[in-house]
Amino acid sequence: MKTKLLASLALGVAAVLVALGLRAPTRDAKHTLRWPVMGTRAQLTVRGDAAAGERLRPVVQAAYARLDGLLSAWNPDSELSRLAAAGCTDWVAAASAEVRPCYAAALRLAAESGNAFNPRVGKALRALGVSGGGAYAAFDLGAIAKGFAVDVAAREIVRTCSPHAPPSLLLDLGGNLRVVGEGTWRTGIRNPFDREGPLVGVLALTNGESVATSGNYERFIERDGVRLSHILDGRTGEPVCGVAAVTVVTPPEDGALLADGLSTTLFVLGPAEGTRFLARHYPRALALWIPDTPEAPRIVATRAMARRLAHALWPMEALPAP
Ligand code: ADP
Ligand code: MG
């Protein structure tokens, strides 16, 4: 009798230990949902609460699908395609209310960057054979549409969860990331010269921050043996050389749209001009460039980015504050 009691007590104690041991890791476990959309991959990662991820997935999915119907360059029935076919000139006025800010942001970035960022590059891209073109030949939203969609999804998550705070989660649409809810998320920057190699560095993101990367390694063309990027200098229509990748972090008030648009703009401008541009127009954004010198890889970063980047794989050069 006594031994039986002792044995069950011992079992009880063992069970408690196992439960505690399991609870610590599961509280922080991440649940990731993935699906294809907008010609890329969408990812929703929720920390801790798997059921919350399943509940929020349709909210995010519906937002992306709706925006794809408005902004897709490939779907001939999208609003963008119909406006392009009709020879639209005043896009901001013609677009439906929800996507008007996306067109307006593209035109604003063009004005601020002296057309280094330029939604009219679509035709030149098509001529070079880098991009299929589609309706982007009339108005190229390729550099900001995904970031815009992430901001819309983030807003809808907050609205859906209200009056409660949303769970800690990370949205990722083709490399455009935004944190929603409390908590810190760590994200790695891939090596543009060796996609499977060790990370170039790690960034910790907190509530509402976004990060985007533009690179010449996923989509490019070769001319005379030189790899040219799918990003053109909007001032000249020529493919940009000299930069392998740019990563930008933006605060909540700037969002994923700007991280996406700025990564493209700063890819064109390069570190020297890019830092002056940021100081003037987006002083809260953080940026780093990886020059296209695989034989001597290095990182060039704004001061705030140099402070934020952890585990830098290569020598890092902090840009002088302008
Ligand atoms: P990705 O979408 O490939 O991750 P980006 O966000 O940098 O990379 O966007 C690249 C896309 O932006 C190109 O495919 C093209 O549609 C468009 N683009 C290229 N050059 C420019 C430019 N100078 N200004 C605006 N958009 C551009
Ligand atoms: Mg971009």
Side-chain angles (χ1 to χ4, degrees), residues 142-144 176 212-214 259-264:
I144 56 169
N176 297 280
T213 294
S214 285
D260 196 2
L262 285 177
S263 69
T264 310

mmCIF file of all heavy atoms in Angstrom, residues 142-144 176 212-214 259-264, ligand 2:
data_model
loop_
_atom_site.group_PDB
_atom_site.id
_atom_site.type_symbol
_atom_site.label_atom_id
_atom_site.label_comp_id
_atom_site.label_asym_id
_atom_site.label_seq_id
_atom_site.Cartn_x
_atom_site.Cartn_y
_atom_site.Cartn_z
ATOM 1 N N GLY A 142 6.156 46.603 -59.157
ATOM 2 C CA GLY A 142 6.913 45.444 -58.687
ATOM 3 C C GLY A 142 7.778 45.720 -57.477
ATOM 4 O O GLY A 142 8.072 44.814 -56.698
ATOM 5 N N ALA A 143 8.170 46.975 -57.288
ATOM 6 C CA ALA A 143 9.065 47.296 -56.186
ATOM 7 C C ALA A 143 8.339 47.625 -54.892
ATOM 8 O O ALA A 143 8.992 47.776 -53.849
ATOM 9 C CB ALA A 143 9.964 48.475 -56.575
ATOM 10 N N ILE A 144 7.014 47.756 -54.916
ATOM 11 C CA ILE A 144 6.320 48.139 -53.677
ATOM 12 C C ILE A 144 5.019 47.395 -53.384
ATOM 13 O O ILE A 144 4.521 47.448 -52.269
ATOM 14 C CB ILE A 144 6.016 49.658 -53.623
ATOM 15 C CG1 ILE A 144 5.222 50.101 -54.836
ATOM 16 C CG2 ILE A 144 7.277 50.472 -53.461
ATOM 17 C CD1 ILE A 144 4.688 51.523 -54.674
ATOM 18 N N ASN A 176 9.406 40.433 -47.863
ATOM 19 C CA ASN A 176 8.974 41.671 -47.209
ATOM 20 C C ASN A 176 8.347 41.301 -45.881
ATOM 21 O O ASN A 176 7.273 40.703 -45.847
ATOM 22 C CB ASN A 176 7.981 42.428 -48.087
ATOM 23 C CG ASN A 176 8.615 42.851 -49.387
ATOM 24 O OD1 ASN A 176 9.335 43.844 -49.449
ATOM 25 N ND2 ASN A 176 8.406 42.066 -50.426
ATOM 26 N N ALA A 212 13.017 44.741 -45.569
ATOM 27 C CA ALA A 212 12.939 44.281 -46.958
ATOM 28 C C ALA A 212 14.333 44.218 -47.544
ATOM 29 O O ALA A 212 15.216 44.980 -47.149
ATOM 30 C CB ALA A 212 12.073 45.227 -47.787
ATOM 31 N N THR A 213 14.517 43.302 -48.477
ATOM 32 C CA THR A 213 15.804 43.181 -49.164
ATOM 33 C C THR A 213 15.583 43.200 -50.668
ATOM 34 O O THR A 213 14.642 42.593 -51.163
ATOM 35 C CB THR A 213 16.501 41.871 -48.740
ATOM 36 O OG1 THR A 213 16.843 41.963 -47.355
ATOM 37 C CG2 THR A 213 17.775 41.638 -49.525
ATOM 38 N N SER A 214 16.432 43.937 -51.362
ATOM 39 C CA SER A 214 16.462 43.889 -52.824
ATOM 40 C C SER A 214 17.811 43.331 -53.222
ATOM 41 O O SER A 214 18.836 43.753 -52.700
ATOM 42 C CB SER A 214 16.313 45.291 -53.425
ATOM 43 O OG SER A 214 14.989 45.722 -53.325
ATOM 44 N N ALA A 259 9.705 50.062 -46.679
ATOM 45 C CA ALA A 259 10.895 49.203 -46.639
ATOM 46 C C ALA A 259 11.120 48.618 -48.034
ATOM 47 O O ALA A 259 12.242 48.613 -48.554
ATOM 48 C CB ALA A 259 10.721 48.098 -45.604
ATOM 49 N N ASP A 260 10.032 48.161 -48.654
ATOM 50 C CA ASP A 260 10.095 47.581 -50.002
ATOM 51 C C ASP A 260 10.557 48.638 -51.014
ATOM 52 O O ASP A 260 11.536 48.441 -51.743
ATOM 53 C CB ASP A 260 8.697 47.053 -50.372
ATOM 54 C CG ASP A 260 8.714 46.098 -51.551
ATOM 55 O OD1 ASP A 260 9.805 45.803 -52.071
ATOM 56 O OD2 ASP A 260 7.627 45.648 -51.964
ATOM 57 N N GLY A 261 9.905 49.771 -51.028
ATOM 58 C CA GLY A 261 10.242 50.834 -51.979
ATOM 59 C C GLY A 261 11.634 51.398 -51.750
ATOM 60 O O GLY A 261 12.374 51.668 -52.703
ATOM 61 N N LEU A 262 12.006 51.548 -50.480
ATOM 62 C CA LEU A 262 13.331 52.101 -50.186
ATOM 63 C C LEU A 262 14.443 51.129 -50.553
ATOM 64 O O LEU A 262 15.517 51.546 -50.990
ATOM 65 C CB LEU A 262 13.444 52.473 -48.697
ATOM 66 C CG LEU A 262 12.703 53.737 -48.269
ATOM 67 C CD1 LEU A 262 12.841 53.962 -46.762
ATOM 68 C CD2 LEU A 262 13.225 54.957 -49.023
ATOM 69 N N SER A 263 14.212 49.832 -50.392
ATOM 70 C CA SER A 263 15.286 48.884 -50.729
ATOM 71 C C SER A 263 15.607 48.987 -52.221
ATOM 72 O O SER A 263 16.768 48.966 -52.617
ATOM 73 C CB SER A 263 14.931 47.452 -50.308
ATOM 74 O OG SER A 263 13.888 46.938 -51.099
ATOM 75 N N THR A 264 14.587 49.175 -53.038
ATOM 76 C CA THR A 264 14.813 49.347 -54.481
ATOM 77 C C THR A 264 15.487 50.696 -54.772
ATOM 78 O O THR A 264 16.455 50.768 -55.532
ATOM 79 C CB THR A 264 13.475 49.243 -55.239
ATOM 80 O OG1 THR A 264 12.804 48.055 -54.805
ATOM 81 C CG2 THR A 264 13.674 49.191 -56.734
HETATM 82 MG MG MG B 2 11.510 46.747 -53.231
#
